[in-house]
């Protein structure tokens, strides 16, 4: 009797479905913000760090509209020219926002541990980038990050140039033992004199002369892995995986 009562109560609690009705969908996970919302977040973050971005976007859009209108008047079809110019004006404003947003994102990284490694993250295909630094000074928190590409081996330093030289020289000696014929480049990232700004690190790496083939990139990576992990532990507070350019507002 108790079983029948339990069954009846459970049936009453669960809503009945028709013969052709769909099963209730499980609750969806929290959706990521849509494109428009992401664009709004990028705009807010950029405007906070770069107030001039609003005026630059307006000027770019107006410039495209004026050119389109002039062309339309010359061909005596200004309505069609204006309709074509409006999406082009929006595209021009978006391109300005994208460039300024990248600079603003890197500006937020300045002074944060692991920023030099994050500056390398803009590189995509053709590069092998190591998330963790290959050399660390626990006392001064100077870091050396590694990238492997067509240019060979690239060491990106974080810290005063004169102070990180010891770390760089030690890494060169270690790597030359297994890579005697592969060039090793050094890029000192930072805002001091003689250093490469964070926003320009990726571009500086791309400009390096190519000296090895695409197939040799993986071979160089395998040879470096034979050196083992004879590195000092990463000091507390340094998490290169979290130090990434955040182009969205908070």
């Amino acid at each position: 009797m108790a079983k029948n009562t339990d069954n009846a109560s459970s049936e009453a609690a669960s809503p009945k479905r028709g013969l052709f009705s769909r099963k209730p969908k499980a609750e969806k996970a929290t959706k990521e913000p849509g494109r428009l919302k992401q664009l709004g977040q990028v705009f807010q973050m950029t405007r906070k760090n770069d107030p001039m971005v609003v005026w630059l976007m307006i000027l770019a859009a107006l410039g495209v509209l004026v050119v389109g209108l002039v062309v339309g008047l010359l061909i005596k079809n200004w309505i069609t020219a204006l309709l074509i110019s409006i999406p082009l004006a929006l595209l021009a404003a978006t391109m300005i926002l994208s460039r300024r947003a990248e600079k603003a994102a890197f500006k937020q990284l300045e002074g944060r541990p692991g920023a030099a490694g994050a500056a390398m993250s803009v590189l995509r295909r053709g590069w092998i980038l190591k998330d963790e630094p290959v050399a660390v000074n626990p006392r001064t928190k100077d870091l050396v990050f590694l990238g492997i590409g067509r240019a060979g081996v690239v060491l990106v330093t974080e810290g005063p140039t004169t102070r990180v030289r010891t770390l760089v020289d030690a890494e060169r000696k270690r790597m030359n033992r297994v890579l005697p014929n592969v060039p090793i480049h050094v890029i000192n990232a930072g805002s001091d004199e003689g250093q490469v700004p964070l926003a320009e690190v990726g571009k500086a790496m791309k400009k390096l002369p190519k000296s090895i083939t695409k197939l040799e990139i993986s071979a160089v990576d395998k040879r470096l892995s034979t050196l083992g992990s004879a590195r000092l532990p990463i000091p507390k507070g340094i998490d290169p995986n979290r130090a990434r350019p955040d182009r969205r507002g908070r």
Side-chain angles (χ1 to χ4, degrees):
M1 191 72 180
K3 288 183 179 179
N4 294 335
T5 306
D6 293 341
N7 291 336
S9 59
S10 62
E11 289 178 0
S14 59
K16 292 184 178 180
R17 295 187 294 110
L19 183 61
F20 299 102
S21 61
R22 296 180 179 180
K23 292 182 179 181
K25 294 182 179 180
E27 293 185 4
K28 293 182 179 181
T30 305
K31 291 184 177 180
E32 294 184 357
R35 289 288 180 87
L36 290 177
K37 190 172 182 179
Q38 287 181 351
L39 190 62
Q41 291 175 341
V42 170
F43 176 75
Q44 294 296 336
M45 182 276 294
T46 308
R47 187 178 65 172
K48 182 179 178 181
N49 294 276
D50 184 9
M52 282 295 296
V53 69
V54 179
W55 297 108
L56 292 173
M57 291 174 66
I58 293 174
L59 288 174
L62 286 177
V64 173
L65 288 175
V66 169
V67 172
L69 190 58
V70 170
V71 173
L73 292 173
L74 291 175
I75 64 175
K76 296 181 180 181
N77 192 357
W78 65 271
I79 295 178
T80 302
L82 188 61
L83 291 175
I84 295 175
S85 300
I86 290 174
L88 292 178
L90 294 175
L91 179 61
T94 304
M95 289 176 64
I96 294 293
L97 175 62
S98 177
R99 292 182 180 180
R100 307 292 287 198
E102 186 171 317
K103 291 183 179 180
F106 279 113
K107 188 175 181 182
Q108 288 183 330
L109 287 177
E110 290 182 359
R112 292 179 57 183
M120 302 165 59
S121 66
V122 298
L123 298 172
R124 294 290 183 265
R125 297 175 61 182
W127 287 88
I128 296 177
L129 307 173
K130 303 299 181 181
D131 289 331
E132 294 186 359
V134 295
V136 180
N137 187 328
R139 184 175 59 84
T140 61
K141 293 187 178 180
D142 294 335
L143 307 172
V144 178
F145 290 91
L146 172 68
I148 308 169
R150 293 288 306 278
V153 176
V154 182
L155 300 176
V156 180
T157 69
E158 180 174 315
T161 305
T162 54
R163 201 170 63 194
V164 298
R165 190 174 297 163
T166 304
L167 290 175
V168 171
D169 291 343
E171 281 303 305
R172 278 182 181 275
K173 289 179 181 178
R174 291 179 69 238
M175 293 178 180
N176 280 330
R177 287 185 297 177
V178 294
L179 302 171
N181 300 319
V182 177
I184 300 175
H185 307 274
V186 179
I187 294 177
N188 298 303
S191 55
D192 295 337
E193 186 178 355
Q195 293 183 327
V196 179
L198 293 176
E200 303 294 327
V201 168
K203 294 178 183 178
M205 293 175 68
K206 287 181 180 179
K207 289 180 180 178
L208 293 172
K210 295 179 175 60
S211 57
I212 62 176
T213 64
K214 293 181 180 179
L215 295 176
E216 289 173 332
I217 293 175
S218 57
V220 169
D221 183 38
K222 289 179 181 179
R223 285 201 177 188
L224 288 178
S225 64
T226 62
L227 292 175
S229 57
R231 306 193 275 271
L232 294 172
I234 301 175
K236 291 183 178 180
I238 296 178
D239 188 354
N241 293 318
R242 292 184 180 180
R244 289 288 182 268
D246 185 7
R247 297 177 177 82
R248 288 185 289 181
R250 293 182 179 181

